[in-house]
Amino acid sequence: MLLNGIFVIIPVIGAVICAFLNKQKQAPGLLANIILLFGFLISLHIFFMSLGQEWFFGEDVLSAFMLIMIYMVALAVAFFAVFAASTKRRGSYFAILLVITAGMAGVVCSQDLFTLYVFLEVVAVASFVLIAFYNREKSTEGAIRYFYLSSIASAFILFAISLLLLYTGDTTYEGLVKTILQTQGNSAPLNIILGTLAVALMIKTGLFPFHSWTPDAYESASSPISALLAGIVTKVAGTYALVLVCMLLSIVNFGIEHNTVGKAIMWFGLGSIVFGALAAQEQKDFKRMLAYSSISQMGYITIAAALATPLAMAGALFHIFNHATFKTLLFFCAGNVKKATGTTAINEMRGLQEKMPYTSATATIGMLATAGLPPFSGFWSKLFIIAALWQAGFIGMSVTALFASVLTLAYFLKLQRGMFFGSASKNIANVKEQGMGFLIPCFALAFIIIAVGIYFPFIYNNFLSPFIKVLQ
Amino acid sequence: MTLHFFLVICMIICALAAVMAKRMIHSAIFLALVSVLLATIMFSAYAPWAGVFELSVCAGLITVLFASTASMIGRGESYAKRERKKFLFLPPVLIVFGVLVWLFGGQITQVFQISQTPAVPAFMTVGDVMWNLRLPDLLGQLCLFVAGVMAVRVILGEGSDE
């Protein structure tokens, strides 16, 4: 944590400076981008330096991997926001962006459940402010709904941590694992405690049936913020912590065979996959469709994390990375469309491809990757998850997850046909493609999606295979 | 045990004053006092970690946030009066509760037996706990403080762009 503390301290110092530069137009954005670029490069360095070391909660490779994702998405969002954020209060805007980055870095660097809880609260407060930033009726409603549900989740987390402290006498990950290994055979209390923790984290993730805050929050927030929330915040504040809990559950129950709580979480994951995919079909707004798509994709990660076999865990972590890239890209595209046309309603325009070719092309890459089509990155992580389910004997779940992927393709094709394809409608006659400031983050993320998909053997041999071996 | 009961009674009175105070700034101060008293109880019950966090987060951070919010939104006494009416039932309810505790106190104290085993070694001071054992949490609190101040500033202080 001390080494990784720089990932928390530097953004916080930057946030304080940004807050004092509220009247400046360029300086806050520039400072935020420099800090985030610095953090991204350092996290890359730490990741490659720590390859080959033992994977463990909150240490070394796993936290470095998560730090790369956090700083990559935050940097892309900060760069996009320099052009897309229409506010006079740019100092405050970028200050909160840096605070939430610091909070997320704290979550993945912590080696103790209580520290994790404190940083989850930082992320919750900063998310609330970002959603409500423009003080519009809808965004305030979305923010309040998020805050209420997040508060309930926080109460559950604190309650579970208190019980865990009473039962095991420790809240550090290392201490918990040691105590769990010593007390195996009496798993009922630990299952109840970890189950409570899992429910709280499912609320934070926005899984079905705890999803009610996500569509409102994503739709009402500005596009850079929606991208940040869907791209990384829910991953770190919900899914990453849920992966840790699922790992502990797996240790408590010697794998999946006797893991009733793990199986229950898997059903929640499957419910999210199916519900998100079906609900997305009915949406008439680009951002709302992306919100339901996120609920569905979170389901894939959850089902794999709860299965907790080495292959499933690798799939879950890989899908966290992939979803962070393609969902951030899609929200940027939605932001470009909104900026150019003033709306994200799907049926109000046609043929945007003619007017906005780059946005359309990158959106298509993001959509195909989300649907899990080869050779894009999403194909490989979904393949891992479905193969892991099949291998563990959950054939019904595996087939359902596969069919839900087809549903994903269906609603995105519907979106493409309704918004981008065909001849341009009259109401978009004066629409123009956005400038390079808006497009550079889209190109960068699209490049990552394609590169990860094409160079998958390299990624498998160097990152995923060592991880699977350690877990085995 | 007598000291604990005294502290608990003081805490309840401060909590009552916090919800019924005429001015919001007084409410914030009473709330801070509740946290200080709770932290004292935690220290005397051999739970210095919990005491330290209660003191630093609730008595420190939350009070600053409440006080700054109260001064920013600047709501007057009339608003407080209208709100206070909702809580007029609280003092009689608490008196009845107190009588019940006095009558059945013996059985209740058995339930709330305070552990005599210290959670941390006796030679560790509050400073040791904060700076050596829970340093990452302090960092988290610092972030939480900055996030809270930004929340007050953005939502209540700056208004909307429109």
Side-chain angles (χ1 to χ4, degrees), chain A residues 394-414:
Chain A
F394 294 93
I395 292 162
M397 285 189 177
S398 176
V399 172
T400 313
L402 191 63
F403 273 106
S405 216
V406 179
L407 283 177
T408 308
L409 186 64
Y411 63 74
F412 275 141
L413 282 178
K414 192 176 143 191

Side-chain angles (χ1 to χ4, degrees), chain A residues 170-186:
Chain A
D170 205 343
T171 53
T172 61
Y173 302 152
E174 204 177 345
L176 281 174
V177 172
K178 271 184 193 166
T179 316
I180 286 169
L181 289 172
Q182 283 164 5
T183 57
Q184 269 179 348
N186 182 22

Side-chain angles (χ1 to χ4, degrees), chain A residues 48-246:
Chain A
F48 285 107
M49 290 292 284
S50 55
L51 270 179
Q53 289 181 19
E54 194 176 340
W55 289 66
F56 196 68
F57 307 131
E59 285 176 11
D60 307 329
V61 194
L62 188 54
S63 57
F65 170 74
M66 293 302 294
L67 280 170
I68 290 173
M69 274 199 325
I70 291 166
Y71 274 88
M72 180 185 75
V73 175
L75 177 64
V77 168
F79 189 88
F80 190 77
V82 168
F83 304 93
S86 50
T87 176
K88 290 170 191 162
R89 303 170 287 154
R90 296 177 82 82
S92 296
Y93 192 93
F94 285 101
I96 303 162
L97 201 64
L98 287 171
V99 170
I100 201 168
T101 309
M104 289 189 287
V107 168
V108 299
C109 292
S110 63
Q111 293 161 40
D112 182 292
L113 270 181
F114 188 78
T115 312
L116 182 115
Y117 164 76
V118 174
F119 281 105
L120 283 179
E121 287 307 289
V122 176
V123 175
V125 172
S127 303
F128 170 75
V129 183
L130 281 174
I131 298 167
F133 190 84
Y134 288 98
N135 279 350
R136 291 170 190 145
E137 195 179 329
K138 205 165 187 182
S139 64
T140 309
E141 191 187 323
I144 288 172
R145 190 172 286 191
Y146 169 76
F147 202 67
Y148 280 155
L149 280 165
S150 186
S151 304
I152 294 167
S154 298
F156 269 100
I157 293 171
L158 206 54
F159 181 59
I161 291 174
S162 313
L163 290 178
L164 211 55
L165 188 62
L166 277 173
Y167 190 72
T168 64
D170 205 343
T171 53
T172 61
Y173 302 152
E174 204 177 345
L176 281 174
V177 172
K178 271 184 193 166
T179 316
I180 286 169
L181 289 172
Q182 283 164 5
T183 57
Q184 269 179 348
N186 182 22
S187 58
L190 278 170
N191 272 323
I192 293 168
I193 295 166
L194 293 173
T196 311
L197 208 51
V199 169
L201 294 169
M202 282 194 272
I203 298 174
K204 293 241 180 207
T205 309
L207 281 181
F208 173 79
F210 313 108
H211 64 281
S212 66
W213 67 270
T214 40
D216 284 343
Y218 292 179
E219 189 191 2
S220 58
S222 66
S223 293
I225 302 311
S226 306
L228 189 76
L229 287 172
I232 195 72
V233 172
T234 46
K235 311 276 176 316
V236 173
T239 321
Y240 170 77
L242 195 59
V243 167
L244 295 186
V245 170
C246 289

